[in-house]
Amino acid sequence: MIARVVHPYNLQNALEHVIANRGSAGVDGVKVSQLKERFPNRKLQLLDDIAKGYYYSQPILGVEIPKGNGKVRLLGVSTTTDRVLQQAVSQVITPLFETEFSSNSFGFRPNKNARQAVGQSRDYIHQGLNHIVDIDLKNFFDEVDHCLLLNLVYRKVKCKTTMRLIRKWLRAPIQIKGKLQKRRKGVP
């Protein structure tokens, strides 16, 4: 599986996806606009580090973003280089999990979005159905158990190198207001 993850075509698609998403720089300060120039220069060393087990994820930058109710939510921002590698893994493993989801599930899925969810709800209303369920688990991503998640992922992803990458991303410390904190649960 790791061969598909690090295949040049997959990495190029991942790079283009991260650039298209824009987004902020992580703890290293490397902006998405700098990726097209910087990533190719680092790619061979990254791939060698991954193959030898030397790759380490950079810390995650913790950024507080305002919510509509006056509160704030902590958002974890990986470095742009880590995001390219994460996207490369995602592109390979997502099809393994996609078949498990209901066609009525619209969150965080390829080719699915909130607008489609609203459209589906409208269609159901026109069909005479009168119950719509919207589930949003409060702080879900902050509470994800790493061991449980890794065990569930391993059921489909048997590649030790790919699993090692996912584990390193989950366990990367988060930098909040200049101080590093360990993480044993939650996903950025």
Side-chain angles (χ1 to χ4, degrees), residues 14-158:
L15 176 63
E16 290 170 9
H17 185 88
V18 170
I19 291 170
N21 278 351
R22 298 188 297 253
S24 299
V27 294
D28 63 357
V30 176
K31 298 175 182 175
V32 172
S33 60
Q34 299 170 295
L35 264 180
K36 199 165 208 130
E37 177 186 320
R38 287 181 173 229
F39 187 78
N41 298 332
R42 295 208 49 225
K43 184 169 70 172
L44 291 178
Q45 183 63 52
L46 280 169
L47 298 181
D48 189 52
D49 288 349
I50 290 168
K52 292 178 179 174
Y54 298 155
Y55 167 82
Y56 283 96
S57 175
Q58 292 289 312
I60 296 162
L61 179 61
V63 179
E64 291 181 340
I65 57 172
K67 291 177 69 171
N69 57 5
K71 295 182 181 180
V72 294
R73 179 171 70 91
L74 186 64
L75 178 69
V77 181
S78 298
T79 64
T80 53
T81 299
D82 281 344
R83 288 204 303 264
V84 171
L85 295 175
Q86 291 164 1
Q87 180 63 33
V89 168
S90 177
Q91 289 169 178
V92 172
I93 71 171
T94 294
L96 301 175
F97 294 93
E98 191 57 27
T99 59
E100 303 288 325
F101 289 97
S102 163
S103 61
N104 296 315
S105 175
F106 291 90
F108 304 101
R109 304 216 12 238
N111 305 313
K112 298 271 191 171
N113 59 46
R115 184 176 303 244
Q116 291 169 323
V118 170
Q120 183 67 62
S121 298
R122 184 195 63 236
D123 292 346
Y124 287 150
I125 291 167
H126 288 132
Q127 292 172 19
L129 301 172
N130 56 10
H131 291 88
I132 297 171
V133 179
D134 175 20
I135 299 174
D136 186 12
L137 302 175
K138 183 178 179 184
N139 298 328
F140 172 79
F141 292 108
D142 298 333
E143 300 297 325
V144 172
D145 180 281
H146 290 177
C147 290
L148 178 60
L149 177 60
L150 288 167
N151 282 325
L152 291 170
V153 171
Y154 184 72
R155 290 181 183 180
K156 299 221 181 236
V157 179
K158 300 290 186 186

